[in-house]
Amino acid sequence: MRGWRRHIHHHPEAAGNEYHTAQYVFDVLREAGLNPELVLDGRGVVCDFGPDNGQRVALRADMDALEMPVGGREKVIHACGHDAHTAMVLAAGQALASNPDRLGEVGIGVRLVFQPAEEAAEGAEEMVQAGLLDGIVRAFALHCDPRLAVGEFGVVVGPMNASADKLTIDFGGEPTGYSAVDASTDKLAVDFNGPGGHTVHPEETADLIRAMSEFTATLQILLTGHIGADGTIEAAFGQFRAGEKMNAIPDSGRVEGMIRRAVIKYPIVHNLLQQRLQELKQRFDGLTYTLDHEPDADPADPSGPVGRPDGSVDLIHAIGEFTRDLDDALTERFESGKIVTVFGKAEAGYDINASHGAGTLTGTIRRAGVDKQEVEQFLNQRLTELKERFPGLKTQLHHDELVPTVVNDPESIVLFMKAIASLGPGAATAIQMSMGGDDFAHFLNHTEKSGAYVNVGIWSGEGDKYSLHQPPLGLDERALAYGARALAGTVLASGAAATTSTFPSSDRI
């Protein structure tokens, strides 16, 4: 089992490209004497065995890795535990298939489902549409949880994972430039760095794009409020870039711009920049920065004007203003713990000396019991207010649901609980609903009696606890056996339950 996980871990494939992983899973199952089938053009695998009596349950594993920036370079890595999920389902499947008499005794058939493209929120729906979940009574799956120790399982009755939406906002307006060049001019660039992480848990890392937005949105106010009146100093940013994926908080980003100053001396400005960046560093845990601020030109008459052409839009300033407190505003409107909004990608501008006429923010909104239409109305209202502040600004909102809420069926959770109880006293731990979305919701919505999704602990019990989507994940491979045994036991419990009409109480969860 560890060998399977390590092979997949060292051969990661991004969503939509799981061809090698699927072939590897197919070969492992064939070598075990089973009859797997490659599906979805070779990107997925299904494998049926056991009695074909109309009582068949599915065990699902997602196989794709993440494309994400690591150390300033784009990499494909397993930082969400999908390699472990695949190994657990392979092991559970082989254990069950090796005991056909027991499956016959409880009267339950099994379908192993190895799914592509979970990270893209596409694979589960593809499998459902292809009919690969037809005839399934219940579906079960596990997800690695680095907050729980090995041997622990996180359990929720009812909503387990929030709905996840993709949020993209396009900004446009007349480019900003400067008509006057007789003021002193400084080049300004700041590289921001942080641990990175999953957009579902911005509190566990440095929300990099929000920190950058705080800097760009408030710098002009600080400059005029502390060291110069309007018209004597002006800052404007020409580039703002961070991140590659909507659901991964980036670990690096960069802003570039110009500071134009009349009379005000360079050291005074430089000290204020350092002070502001230190404040942000203290506020955003794990944030670091590198400031590059050098005088570019000192004209013969440094007292000249620093203004910009009328009618231009300071685009990056507008984007920063929108982003810096959006999550707080949504939380205030819809209640804390019910909604999380984080941007994973931001790009605007092309030249240090002028804001480009276009920019885009891409991120996720996680909703727990919050209506999508109400959120959309709120976002449109915020954008309307922003356009009133920045005349000439144009915006376009794209707000699309990626996955519905994962809702655990109480009867199916009880089946999982019966299996978990055999793995040790206190193995089941009640946890809070996760704000992370998962397209396993499509499986649960399609099966006859829904199913359940449970977290499996992967923390060794020593050292740091990491976040999903934050390498290194810190997976203790002892968790693989616990996960496989829980899945296999749940299948057998499902078969036994099918012969009765009552279920034990779930009050202990």
Side-chain angles (χ1 to χ4, degrees), residues 138-163:
R138 301 181 193 271
F140 298 98
L142 291 171
H143 199 292
C144 291
D145 190 336
R147 301 166 301 174
L148 299 176
V150 171
E152 294 181 338
F153 293 82
V155 181
V156 175
V157 178
M160 171 69 175
N161 290 73
S163 302

Side-chain angles (χ1 to χ4, degrees), residues 51 99-108:
N99 196 349
D101 291 343
R102 181 66 175 135
L103 289 176
E105 179 183 330
V106 298
I108 196 74

Side-chain angles (χ1 to χ4, degrees), residues 417-478:
M417 286 286 294
K418 292 177 68 176
I420 293 170
S422 68
L423 301 180
T429 301
I431 60 173
Q432 296 295 316
M433 173 186 181
S434 170
M435 294 303 289
D438 196 295
D439 67 356
F440 185 60
H442 292 298
F443 282 24
L444 298 182
N445 291 343
H446 186 76
T447 56
E448 180 182 333
K449 296 182 179 180
S450 189
Y453 199 36
V454 168
N455 285 3
V456 55
I458 62 170
W459 179 50
S460 67
E462 299 180 354
D464 294 335
K465 293 182 179 181
Y466 296 95
S467 297
L468 297 173
H469 292 208
Q470 180 187 351
L473 184 58
L475 186 147
D476 186 328
E477 288 183 327
R478 293 178 300 163

